[in-house]
């Protein structure tokens, strides 16, 4: 049972505002705070003694506050929609709000944002407060989101690793001060971690167990790391060796995003497919060393693969598309924008084998023409999103064939294409829910 004398953090409070520091802030606060921020510990609100010249409010007047009529469960429901900093502010209003704001059910998630937030200190104080009922362990905390907090360092992650064994989701995208060691510590101490976003963390080169844990546990423990979703977008220093380590330790991966990991090659993808056969979504966009040989390895995922992004992989041609189309027959999403080696023949293979395709981006593929669109229209009737941006060989005839067969089309991008107004109107008549993105000023 939590006592009223237990201190709690008034998190994310601008130090320049004296009123807020004194606990007298009466203005409405937003979840985004500018300027330097601090975390401090405060005692629960106490009853203020009335001024001798101010007549105390009667009991009847106090009971007339409409918000006081709400039952506790309604407050809990309202508080559940507040970000972490606002929830801490609510704890300072009165004793009842203090007890309700620190209800364990509200602390399954910590969400902090802002470039100037002192995240390390905030996490230390919050976890200390949440550990009071269960010393040194935050059993309720499952999600920590501190994306974009550039002041986050390894210290903050060490705090999470030591106090949050039940952590399931961690998002630290854009926090470029964290290193491999801190991420290893999180993975080693949080065995239930399933979702990890380290996109933009340029110092992170792989995901693995700490050396100490690897020595203590059996060699098979690496296969027990439960990460299923991993986003390493913009981790520029990730190489094939690091990808091999990730694949060997995170065998349960189903979603992997390696956008702009420019050092990845076909060999790294070979390691990945050997160890991670359950991948459903994979992005290697802007990985310029990935070629048709890499797609041949990816095709070994077969019908499990539903989402594939190979945008701006300039070494990919119809040969790689043919591998994917032959074996990944349940593919639903393909982004091949900027793959200039893809032609109508590649689209023919794709359309005839992946009939359940729902989203296709072949923008900036100059060799794709109306013939390729005809194969799509006659085979992929469930197509909902189609991007043909800057496809120079596409004309209104190809669009009309698509519109006449793909009635469920919801988004069509034909920007920078020479398409007549009549063709665009034809698409609009046959696909009434379709949003058309175009650059023809005569069509509106």
């Amino acid at each position: 049972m939590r006592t009223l004398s237990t201190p709690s953090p008034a998190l994310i409070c601008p130090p320049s505002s004296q009123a807020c520091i004194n606990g007298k802030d009466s203005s409405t606060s937003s979840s985004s705070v500018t300027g330097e921020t601090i975390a401090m510990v405060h005692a629960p609100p106490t009853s203020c003694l009335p001024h001798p010249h101010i007549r105390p409010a009667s009991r009847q007047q106090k009971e007339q506050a409409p918000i006081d009529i709400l039952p506790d469960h309604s407050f809990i429901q309202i508080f559940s929609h507040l970000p972490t900093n606002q929830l801490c502010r609510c704890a300072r209003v009165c004793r009842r709000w203090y007890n309700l704001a620190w209800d364990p059910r509200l602390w399954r998630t910590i969400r902090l944002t802002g470039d100037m937030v002192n995240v390390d200190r905030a996490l230390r104080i919050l976890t200390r407060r949440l550990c009071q009922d269960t010393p040194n362990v935050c059993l309720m905390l499952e999600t920590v989101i501190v994306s974009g907090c550039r002041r986050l360092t390894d210290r903050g992650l060490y705090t999470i690793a030591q106090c949050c064994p039940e952590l399931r989701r961690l998002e630290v995208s854009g926090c470029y001060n964290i290193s491999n060691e801190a991420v290893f510590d999180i993975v080693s101490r949080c065995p239930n971690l399933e979702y990890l976003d380290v996109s933009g963390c340029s110092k992170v080169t792989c995901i693995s167990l700490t050396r100490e844990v690897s020595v203590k546990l059996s060699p098979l423990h690496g296969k027990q790391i439960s990460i299923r979703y991993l986003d390493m977008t913009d981790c520029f220093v990730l190489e094939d060796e690091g990808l091999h380590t990730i694949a060997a330790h995170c065998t349960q991966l189903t979603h992997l995003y390696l956008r702009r990991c420019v050092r990845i090659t076909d060999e790294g993808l070979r390691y990945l497919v050997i160890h991670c056969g359950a991948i459903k979504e994979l992005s290697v966009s802007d990985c310029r060393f990935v070629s048709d040989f890499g797609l041949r390895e990816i095709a070994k995922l077969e019908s499990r693969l539903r989402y594939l992004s190979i945008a701006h992989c300039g070494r990919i041609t119809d040969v790689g598309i043919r591998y994917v189309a032959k074996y990944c027959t349940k593919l639903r999403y393909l982004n091949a924008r900027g793959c200039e080696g893809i032609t109508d023949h590649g689209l023919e293979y794709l359309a005839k084998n992946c009939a359940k395709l729902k989203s296709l981006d072949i923008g900036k593929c100059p060799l794709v023409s109306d013939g390729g669109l005809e194969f799509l229209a006659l085979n992929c009737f469930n197509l909902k999103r189609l991007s043909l941006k800057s496809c120079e060989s596409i004309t209104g005839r190809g669009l009309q064939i698509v519109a006449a067969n793909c009635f469920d089309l919801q988004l069509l991008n034909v920007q920078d294409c020479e398409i007549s107004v009549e063709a665009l109107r034809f698409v609009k008549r046959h696909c009434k829910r379709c949003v058309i993105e175009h650059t023809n000023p005569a069509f509106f």
Side-chain angles (χ1 to χ4, degrees), residues 6-13 37-42 84 88 102 107 110 112 118-132 138 141 155-156 159-160 163:
T6 305
S8 68
L11 187 63
I12 307 184
C13 187
T37 57
I38 61 171
M40 63 182 181
V41 175
H42 69 82
T84 300
C88 289
W102 286 104
W107 291 96
I110 289 179
L112 301 173
N118 191 341
V119 186
D120 292 347
R121 188 179 182 190
L123 289 174
R124 186 174 68 252
I125 294 178
L126 278 174
T127 52
R128 184 189 304 164
R129 174 61 183 80
L130 296 173
C131 287
Q132 288 188 352
C138 302
L141 190 59
R155 287 184 180 180
T159 299
I160 297 173
C163 301

Side-chain angles (χ1 to χ4, degrees), residues 253-270:
L253 277 175
T254 58
H255 297 69
L256 178 62
Y257 304 95
L258 304 171
R259 306 179 188 97
R260 293 179 291 280
C261 294
V262 293
R263 300 185 184 184
I264 296 297
T265 70
D266 298 334
E267 186 67 11
L269 295 179
R270 185 177 72 85

